[in-house]
Amino acid sequence: MDFLSLIIIFIGSTTMLFVLTRRYFSSRGMKLPRMPETWWIPGTENSVNNDIRPYNITFSEEVVKDLKYRLKHTRPLTPPLKDVAWNYGTNTDALQKLLDYWANDYNFKEREKFINQYSHFKTNIQGLDIHFIRAKPSNTEGKCVLPLLIVHGWPGSIMEFYKIIPLLTSSRPEHDFVFEVIAPSLPGFGFSSAATIPGLSSIHMSVIFKNLMSRLGYDKYYVQGGDWGSSVIHTMSCLYPQHVLGMHSNLCLVLSKWVLLKKILFNNFSSLLPWRKTKKEKFLTLTETGYFHIQATKPDTVGVGLNDSPAGLAAYIIEKFSTGTNSSYKNRMDGGFLEKYTYDELIDNLMVYWISNSITTSMRIYAEQYTKLNRTLTSILESTPIKVPSTCAQFPHEIMEQSPSELKKRFVNLLRVTKMPRGGHFAAFEEPELLANDIWISVDEMEKWNKKHRNNINF
């Protein structure tokens, strides 16, 4: 490494140290906020009720006809450069095969029936019609039924959970409990309505889902999630520990300022140490965060094209199911996504976004998370210990990973960290059996912890 590079790293790290230190002391000592129950569609306060309504997902003939027309009249795709595979983004040769399948072989009626195999509902929470799946166990004889809220992220949907739901709602002889699964669509995603005023971040979604569980009659429950879902359940566990019996996440993160600072300094300077021969710690890299910056600043701009073109929507989302599943897939011409998913499964997820016209509103979560007010709230939450019993599943191709010692700085009652043998970012979708098994074992440990410790913890 040359002298100029050392100077650049030093200046950058020093600047970051100053910024983080200043922000730290500006929020130090601030109390955990009491979150308001904001009404997210003003003007509808007197026109909604608290009913829980059955809901059926429909691929209307009009929508399907229009979709097929757009797919079959897509302008010729720009050919990829020679040998770049997916390193420039979605490889259009691989994309064309998926689009051809969507237009000609995807059975809309059969897939509509498949999506409706579980019981779907809607109920109005804080002005928003929140869509959710409620899957009850088939055999509860001799078993305690434990409610489990599972939360998806972007660019996923409730479709991520279709293979894991039966693994959680089917009783196992070695456990004296079984799960009832509640899987909502995040506000602004799929069939949950979007806010008409700014500010709805994952923090506020935790309030909505706390109210959803209360509406369903659950005062205490377990929570599970990855991606944005992990942010939601971490916040729920922090704000509402009296309701959350335990938390299981496949993306446990500690993003306090000092942990981030340590990451920056370690990754920049460790390579300069002659005795440091091990790999750098795994952390999100700049090469895979371009979408994040766009969506955190101009989601409505990029959303116009994605809402108008199914080919554009597919290109934008499928690329995440390639690199998110395994970053090495970007070096494969086929993108590797068929290693873990079928065309039908990937298109089911695309259909949720297409028929609900929700790609723009789903991307706004990135922008809302980084408003001045929400950055302050996040800073306070990240600095507040989570006391509910917690367990983490770490899949080897996840976009971020932290050590148990780091995780314990936030999850103070961390019972279990499981290193998975395979899998990536979309754990429930990719490896439902691995994830389900870890949830069962984790909840068993959390149940034992609660019986022994819960009454002695000051939440």
Side-chain angles (χ1 to χ4, degrees), residues 261-303:
L261 178 60
K262 177 185 172 184
K263 288 282 186 186
I264 293 167
L265 294 174
F266 179 85
N267 286 339
N268 280 338
F269 289 114
S270 62
S271 62
L272 304 179
L273 303 176
W275 59 84
R276 184 73 189 183
K277 300 298 184 183
T278 57
K279 292 182 180 179
K280 293 181 181 180
E281 292 184 65
K282 187 175 182 182
F283 209 62
L284 192 64
T285 59
L286 186 61
T287 56
E288 298 301 330
T289 57
Y291 79 97
F292 194 107
H293 297 284
I294 292 172
Q295 293 171 197
T297 53
K298 308 293 182 184
D300 287 25
T301 300
V302 69

Side-chain angles (χ1 to χ4, degrees), residues 109-404:
K109 287 295 182 186
E110 286 299 315
R111 299 315 292 179
E112 178 187 83
K113 182 178 178 181
F114 172 82
I115 293 172
N116 284 303
Q117 68 180 281
Y118 298 121
S119 298
H120 294 252
F121 301 90
K122 282 190 177 186
T123 191
N124 196 278
I125 306 288
Q126 296 169 234
L128 300 173
D129 272 347
I130 299 300
H131 161 259
F132 61 96
I133 289 172
R134 188 176 191 178
K136 296 185 177 183
S138 55
N139 181 14
T140 61
E141 186 176 354
K143 305 288 184 181
C144 173
V145 178
L146 300 177
L148 175 66
L149 176 74
I150 55 177
V151 190
H152 68 84
W154 187 94
S157 68
I158 47 138
M159 300 312 305
E160 294 181 65
F161 301 131
Y162 270 58
K163 290 181 283 190
I164 199 172
I165 285 175
L167 301 178
L168 297 171
T169 56
S170 299
S171 61
R172 298 188 176 190
E174 66 270 31
H175 297 292
D176 61 1
F177 58 86
V178 66
F179 298 105
E180 176 175 334
V181 173
I182 296 89
S185 295
L186 290 170
F189 286 67
F191 310 107
S192 286
S193 55
T196 59
I197 56 175
L200 180 52
S201 69
S202 68
I203 301 169
H204 302 87
M205 292 180 186
S206 73
V207 182
I208 291 170
F209 286 164
K210 180 266 294 184
N211 288 334
L212 170 65
M213 295 302 282
S214 177
R215 176 74 52 83
L216 296 177
Y218 298 123
D219 182 61
K220 292 180 171 57
Y221 42 85
Y222 287 92
V223 294
Q224 199 286 327
D227 195 82
W228 281 113
S230 68
S231 179
V232 171
I233 66 168
H234 293 168
T235 304
M236 292 180 73
S237 300
C238 189
L239 292 177
Y240 309 114
Q242 70 274 30
H243 299 301
V244 176
L245 290 169
M247 186 216 74
H248 180 284
S249 177
N250 50 289
L251 189 57
C252 288
L253 292 176
V254 179
L255 298 177
S256 64
K257 302 176 186 69
W258 294 121
V259 170
L260 291 176
L261 178 60
K262 177 185 172 184
K263 288 282 186 186
I264 293 167
L265 294 174
F266 179 85
N267 286 339
N268 280 338
F269 289 114
S270 62
S271 62
L272 304 179
L273 303 176
W275 59 84
R276 184 73 189 183
K277 300 298 184 183
T278 57
K279 292 182 180 179
K280 293 181 181 180
E281 292 184 65
K282 187 175 182 182
F283 209 62
L284 192 64
T285 59
L286 186 61
T287 56
E288 298 301 330
T289 57
Y291 79 97
F292 194 107
H293 297 284
I294 292 172
Q295 293 171 197
T297 53
K298 308 293 182 184
D300 287 25
T301 300
V302 69
V304 173
L306 304 184
N307 265 336
D308 194 58
S309 168
L313 181 70
Y316 200 70
I317 288 181
I318 294 303
E319 188 248 329
K320 302 307 172 198
F321 282 96
S322 172
T323 56
T325 300
N326 188 328
S327 61
S328 70
Y329 286 170
K330 65 184 178 183
N331 299 316
R332 291 177 48 164
M333 297 300 292
D334 64 0
F337 50 76
L338 292 179
E339 294 287 333
K340 293 291 181 75
Y341 321 104
T342 66
Y343 279 142
D344 281 336
E345 290 171 344
L346 292 169
I347 294 170
D348 287 343
N349 184 61
L350 291 173
M351 287 296 293
V352 169
Y353 283 94
W354 183 259
I355 64 176
S356 64
N357 201 29
S358 65
I359 187 63
T360 300
T361 55
S362 73
M363 293 188 296
R364 285 177 182 164
I365 189 175
Y366 291 82
E368 303 295 9
Q369 202 74 14
Y370 295 99
T371 64
K372 183 177 181 180
L373 175 59
N374 287 336
R375 286 200 310 270
T376 300
L377 289 173
T378 298
S379 179
I380 298 169
L381 287 164
E382 288 288 345
S383 301
T384 303
I386 292 175
K387 296 180 181 179
V388 304
S390 305
T391 59
C392 306
Q394 295 184 331
F395 289 81
H397 298 295
E398 182 55 272
I399 57 178
M400 299 186 218
E401 182 180 297
Q402 291 173 298
S403 67

Side-chain angles (χ1 to χ4, degrees), residues 413-429:
N413 290 307
L414 183 65
L415 305 185
R416 174 185 174 89
V417 177
T418 309
K419 291 280 189 180
M420 292 297 182
R422 59 186 180 275
H425 186 63
F426 303 97
F429 209 5

